mmCIF file of all heavy atoms in Angstrom:
data_model
loop_
_atom_site.group_PDB
_atom_site.id
_atom_site.type_symbol
_atom_site.label_atom_id
_atom_site.label_comp_id
_atom_site.label_asym_id
_atom_site.label_seq_id
_atom_site.Cartn_x
_atom_site.Cartn_y
_atom_site.Cartn_z
ATOM 1 N N ALA F 1 -13.110 -8.177 18.052
ATOM 2 C CA ALA F 1 -13.444 -7.497 16.822
ATOM 3 C C ALA F 1 -14.342 -6.257 17.064
ATOM 4 O O ALA F 1 -14.254 -5.265 16.292
ATOM 5 C CB ALA F 1 -14.095 -8.434 15.838
ATOM 6 N N SER F 2 -15.159 -6.308 18.070
ATOM 7 C CA SER F 2 -16.057 -5.189 18.350
ATOM 8 C C SER F 2 -15.351 -3.972 18.898
ATOM 9 O O SER F 2 -15.867 -2.889 18.917
ATOM 10 C CB SER F 2 -17.154 -5.611 19.311
ATOM 11 O OG SER F 2 -16.669 -5.791 20.632
ATOM 12 N N LEU F 3 -14.083 -4.165 19.359
ATOM 13 C CA LEU F 3 -13.321 -3.128 19.984
ATOM 14 C C LEU F 3 -12.419 -2.344 19.019
ATOM 15 O O LEU F 3 -11.894 -1.280 19.348
ATOM 16 C CB LEU F 3 -12.447 -3.696 21.117
ATOM 17 C CG LEU F 3 -13.188 -4.440 22.244
ATOM 18 C CD1 LEU F 3 -12.193 -5.126 23.111
ATOM 19 C CD2 LEU F 3 -14.077 -3.512 23.010
ATOM 20 N N VAL F 4 -12.192 -2.923 17.858
ATOM 21 C CA VAL F 4 -11.215 -2.386 16.935
ATOM 22 C C VAL F 4 -11.890 -1.734 15.718
ATOM 23 O O VAL F 4 -13.000 -2.083 15.385
ATOM 24 C CB VAL F 4 -10.229 -3.492 16.468
ATOM 25 C CG1 VAL F 4 -9.458 -4.067 17.659
ATOM 26 C CG2 VAL F 4 -10.884 -4.577 15.664
ATOM 27 N N SER F 5 -11.137 -0.810 15.096
ATOM 28 C CA SER F 5 -11.637 -0.193 13.899
ATOM 29 C C SER F 5 -11.567 -1.160 12.726
ATOM 30 O O SER F 5 -10.866 -2.156 12.757
ATOM 31 C CB SER F 5 -10.823 1.073 13.587
ATOM 32 O OG SER F 5 -9.447 0.751 13.320
ATOM 33 N N ASP F 6 -12.296 -0.853 11.672
ATOM 34 C CA ASP F 6 -12.330 -1.731 10.476
ATOM 35 C C ASP F 6 -10.927 -1.847 9.882
ATOM 36 O O ASP F 6 -10.577 -2.879 9.309
ATOM 37 C CB ASP F 6 -13.245 -1.183 9.414
ATOM 38 C CG ASP F 6 -14.692 -1.320 9.844
ATOM 39 O OD1 ASP F 6 -15.012 -2.207 10.666
ATOM 40 O OD2 ASP F 6 -15.546 -0.553 9.349
ATOM 41 N N ASP F 7 -10.102 -0.809 10.010
ATOM 42 C CA ASP F 7 -8.745 -0.838 9.440
ATOM 43 C C ASP F 7 -7.647 -0.970 10.473
ATOM 44 O O ASP F 7 -6.518 -0.564 10.218
ATOM 45 C CB ASP F 7 -8.544 0.438 8.570
ATOM 46 C CG ASP F 7 -8.584 1.697 9.455
ATOM 47 O OD1 ASP F 7 -9.090 1.627 10.606
ATOM 48 O OD2 ASP F 7 -8.138 2.784 8.965
ATOM 49 N N VAL F 8 -7.982 -1.588 11.606
ATOM 50 C CA VAL F 8 -7.001 -1.739 12.673
ATOM 51 C C VAL F 8 -5.731 -2.394 12.183
ATOM 52 O O VAL F 8 -5.734 -3.193 11.266
ATOM 53 C CB VAL F 8 -7.593 -2.617 13.836
ATOM 54 C CG1 VAL F 8 -7.873 -4.063 13.417
ATOM 55 C CG2 VAL F 8 -6.677 -2.590 15.065
ATOM 56 N N GLU F 9 -4.597 -1.977 12.776
ATOM 57 C CA GLU F 9 -3.312 -2.574 12.425
ATOM 58 C C GLU F 9 -2.756 -3.263 13.672
ATOM 59 O O GLU F 9 -2.612 -2.658 14.724
ATOM 60 C CB GLU F 9 -2.322 -1.487 11.989
ATOM 61 C CG GLU F 9 -0.938 -2.039 11.683
ATOM 62 C CD GLU F 9 0.072 -1.006 11.310
ATOM 63 O OE1 GLU F 9 -0.207 0.231 11.414
ATOM 64 O OE2 GLU F 9 1.169 -1.337 10.886
ATOM 65 N N PHE F 10 -2.483 -4.546 13.521
ATOM 66 C CA PHE F 10 -1.817 -5.322 14.570
ATOM 67 C C PHE F 10 -0.316 -5.381 14.137
ATOM 68 O O PHE F 10 0.004 -6.178 13.275
ATOM 69 C CB PHE F 10 -2.419 -6.737 14.678
ATOM 70 C CG PHE F 10 -3.856 -6.736 15.135
ATOM 71 C CD1 PHE F 10 -4.875 -6.831 14.240
ATOM 72 C CD2 PHE F 10 -4.135 -6.608 16.473
ATOM 73 C CE1 PHE F 10 -6.228 -6.815 14.653
ATOM 74 C CE2 PHE F 10 -5.452 -6.612 16.900
ATOM 75 C CZ PHE F 10 -6.479 -6.721 15.985
ATOM 76 N N ARG F 11 0.508 -4.545 14.729
ATOM 77 C CA ARG F 11 1.898 -4.447 14.385
ATOM 78 C C ARG F 11 2.690 -5.611 14.958
ATOM 79 O O ARG F 11 2.520 -5.997 16.066
ATOM 80 C CB ARG F 11 2.517 -3.140 14.869
ATOM 81 C CG ARG F 11 1.918 -1.937 14.179
ATOM 82 C CD ARG F 11 2.599 -0.665 14.593
ATOM 83 N NE ARG F 11 1.966 0.424 13.902
ATOM 84 C CZ ARG F 11 1.867 1.640 14.388
ATOM 85 N NH1 ARG F 11 2.355 1.906 15.593
ATOM 86 N NH2 ARG F 11 1.310 2.605 13.672
ATOM 87 N N ASN F 12 3.552 -6.154 14.131
ATOM 88 C CA ASN F 12 4.405 -7.271 14.505
ATOM 89 C C ASN F 12 5.779 -6.741 14.903
ATOM 90 O O ASN F 12 6.558 -6.338 14.055
ATOM 91 C CB ASN F 12 4.501 -8.224 13.311
ATOM 92 C CG ASN F 12 5.261 -9.497 13.658
ATOM 93 O OD1 ASN F 12 6.081 -9.522 14.559
ATOM 94 N ND2 ASN F 12 5.018 -10.559 12.923
ATOM 95 N N GLN F 13 6.056 -6.742 16.161
ATOM 96 C CA GLN F 13 7.311 -6.265 16.708
ATOM 97 C C GLN F 13 8.481 -7.203 16.483
ATOM 98 O O GLN F 13 9.608 -6.871 16.685
ATOM 99 C CB GLN F 13 7.175 -5.919 18.205
ATOM 100 C CG GLN F 13 6.160 -4.879 18.519
ATOM 101 C CD GLN F 13 6.530 -3.519 17.886
ATOM 102 O OE1 GLN F 13 7.669 -3.138 17.854
ATOM 103 N NE2 GLN F 13 5.518 -2.836 17.393
ATOM 104 N N ALA F 14 8.175 -8.444 16.054
ATOM 105 C CA ALA F 14 9.206 -9.420 15.848
ATOM 106 C C ALA F 14 9.814 -9.289 14.386
ATOM 107 O O ALA F 14 10.640 -10.059 14.037
ATOM 108 C CB ALA F 14 8.662 -10.826 16.025
ATOM 109 N N GLY F 15 9.334 -8.302 13.660
ATOM 110 C CA GLY F 15 9.879 -8.061 12.347
ATOM 111 C C GLY F 15 9.116 -8.564 11.190
ATOM 112 O O GLY F 15 9.400 -8.286 10.046
ATOM 113 N N GLY F 16 8.025 -9.342 11.479
ATOM 114 C CA GLY F 16 7.185 -9.818 10.381
ATOM 115 C C GLY F 16 6.239 -8.727 9.957
ATOM 116 O O GLY F 16 6.222 -7.647 10.469
ATOM 117 N N ARG F 17 5.394 -9.125 8.967
ATOM 118 C CA ARG F 17 4.448 -8.095 8.482
ATOM 119 C C ARG F 17 3.310 -7.963 9.499
ATOM 120 O O ARG F 17 2.931 -8.863 10.220
ATOM 121 C CB ARG F 17 3.938 -8.483 7.136
ATOM 122 C CG ARG F 17 3.004 -9.645 7.070
ATOM 123 C CD ARG F 17 2.590 -9.899 5.620
ATOM 124 N NE ARG F 17 1.745 -11.096 5.561
ATOM 125 C CZ ARG F 17 0.422 -11.069 5.607
ATOM 126 N NH1 ARG F 17 -0.220 -9.918 5.647
ATOM 127 N NH2 ARG F 17 -0.260 -12.175 5.620
ATOM 128 N N SER F 18 2.736 -6.744 9.457
ATOM 129 C CA SER F 18 1.612 -6.452 10.308
ATOM 130 C C SER F 18 0.361 -7.093 9.764
ATOM 131 O O SER F 18 0.220 -7.314 8.560
ATOM 132 C CB SER F 18 1.383 -4.929 10.358
ATOM 133 O OG SER F 18 2.483 -4.290 10.999
ATOM 134 N N LEU F 19 -0.606 -7.325 10.642
ATOM 135 C CA LEU F 19 -1.932 -7.837 10.250
ATOM 136 C C LEU F 19 -2.845 -6.628 10.243
ATOM 137 O O LEU F 19 -2.723 -5.722 11.071
ATOM 138 C CB LEU F 19 -2.428 -8.863 11.212
ATOM 139 C CG LEU F 19 -1.562 -10.113 11.394
ATOM 140 C CD1 LEU F 19 -2.157 -10.982 12.504
ATOM 141 C CD2 LEU F 19 -1.467 -10.903 10.097
ATOM 142 N N ARG F 20 -3.819 -6.623 9.345
ATOM 143 C CA ARG F 20 -4.731 -5.482 9.233
ATOM 144 C C ARG F 20 -6.184 -5.942 9.162
ATOM 145 O O ARG F 20 -6.436 -7.024 8.658
ATOM 146 C CB ARG F 20 -4.405 -4.652 7.997
ATOM 147 C CG ARG F 20 -3.080 -3.985 8.070
ATOM 148 C CD ARG F 20 -2.893 -3.014 6.927
ATOM 149 N NE ARG F 20 -1.633 -2.334 7.009
ATOM 150 C CZ ARG F 20 -1.404 -1.239 7.728
ATOM 151 N NH1 ARG F 20 -2.389 -0.703 8.407
ATOM 152 N NH2 ARG F 20 -0.190 -0.718 7.747
ATOM 153 N N GLY F 21 -7.038 -5.092 9.654
ATOM 154 C CA GLY F 21 -8.467 -5.350 9.564
ATOM 155 C C GLY F 21 -9.021 -6.192 10.673
ATOM 156 O O GLY F 21 -8.243 -6.881 11.390
ATOM 157 N N ARG F 22 -10.305 -6.202 10.779
ATOM 158 C CA ARG F 22 -10.935 -6.978 11.899
ATOM 159 C C ARG F 22 -10.719 -8.481 11.752
ATOM 160 O O ARG F 22 -10.679 -9.178 12.716
ATOM 161 C CB ARG F 22 -12.453 -6.692 11.926
ATOM 162 C CG ARG F 22 -12.774 -5.289 12.396
ATOM 163 C CD ARG F 22 -14.248 -5.108 12.486
ATOM 164 N NE ARG F 22 -14.512 -3.749 12.921
ATOM 165 C CZ ARG F 22 -15.533 -3.414 13.666
ATOM 166 N NH1 ARG F 22 -16.423 -4.316 14.038
ATOM 167 N NH2 ARG F 22 -15.753 -2.158 14.009
ATOM 168 N N SER F 23 -10.545 -8.950 10.540
ATOM 169 C CA SER F 23 -10.300 -10.402 10.367
ATOM 170 C C SER F 23 -8.993 -10.821 11.024
ATOM 171 O O SER F 23 -8.812 -11.964 11.339
ATOM 172 C CB SER F 23 -10.301 -10.760 8.889
ATOM 173 O OG SER F 23 -9.295 -10.081 8.207
ATOM 174 N N ALA F 24 -8.091 -9.836 11.211
ATOM 175 C CA ALA F 24 -6.825 -10.165 11.874
ATOM 176 C C ALA F 24 -7.016 -10.544 13.345
ATOM 177 O O ALA F 24 -6.188 -11.226 13.958
ATOM 178 C CB ALA F 24 -5.886 -8.991 11.763
ATOM 179 N N ALA F 25 -8.179 -10.162 13.896
ATOM 180 C CA ALA F 25 -8.469 -10.503 15.296
ATOM 181 C C ALA F 25 -8.519 -12.015 15.470
ATOM 182 O O ALA F 25 -8.021 -12.583 16.477
ATOM 183 C CB ALA F 25 -9.793 -9.890 15.743
ATOM 184 N N GLU F 26 -9.048 -12.748 14.451
ATOM 185 C CA GLU F 26 -9.091 -14.190 14.515
ATOM 186 C C GLU F 26 -7.657 -14.779 14.555
ATOM 187 O O GLU F 26 -7.402 -15.694 15.339
ATOM 188 C CB GLU F 26 -9.799 -14.765 13.295
ATOM 189 C CG GLU F 26 -11.271 -14.619 13.341
ATOM 190 C CD GLU F 26 -11.952 -15.278 12.143
ATOM 191 O OE1 GLU F 26 -11.502 -16.350 11.684
ATOM 192 O OE2 GLU F 26 -12.946 -14.722 11.701
ATOM 193 N N ARG F 27 -6.772 -14.225 13.770
ATOM 194 C CA ARG F 27 -5.377 -14.723 13.770
ATOM 195 C C ARG F 27 -4.675 -14.410 15.074
ATOM 196 O O ARG F 27 -3.913 -15.255 15.583
ATOM 197 C CB ARG F 27 -4.630 -14.142 12.594
ATOM 198 C CG ARG F 27 -5.223 -14.606 11.271
ATOM 199 C CD ARG F 27 -4.602 -14.028 10.050
ATOM 200 N NE ARG F 27 -3.203 -14.461 9.892
ATOM 201 C CZ ARG F 27 -2.388 -13.962 8.984
ATOM 202 N NH1 ARG F 27 -2.819 -13.075 8.129
ATOM 203 N NH2 ARG F 27 -1.141 -14.409 8.906
ATOM 204 N N LEU F 28 -4.953 -13.267 15.672
ATOM 205 C CA LEU F 28 -4.354 -12.915 16.943
ATOM 206 C C LEU F 28 -4.863 -13.847 18.028
ATOM 207 O O LEU F 28 -4.030 -14.347 18.824
ATOM 208 C CB LEU F 28 -4.695 -11.442 17.323
ATOM 209 C CG LEU F 28 -4.070 -10.893 18.567
ATOM 210 C CD1 LEU F 28 -2.584 -10.850 18.453
ATOM 211 C CD2 LEU F 28 -4.665 -9.506 18.897
#
């Protein structure tokens, strides 16, 4: 979380929706 911007986008290349924000780091 300390490495990413507040509005970071974790793009899903498998076709699902992208995750956004630092809270997405937990899911990753």
Side-chain angles (χ1 to χ4, degrees):
S2 73
L3 303 171
V4 300
S5 63
D6 291 335
D7 62 345
V8 65
E9 178 184 8
F10 295 98
R11 293 185 180 148
N12 186 335
Q13 297 297 321
R17 72 180 176 96
S18 295
L19 301 174
R20 294 189 179 274
R22 288 184 183 212
S23 62
E26 285 184 36
R27 294 176 68 186
L28 184 64

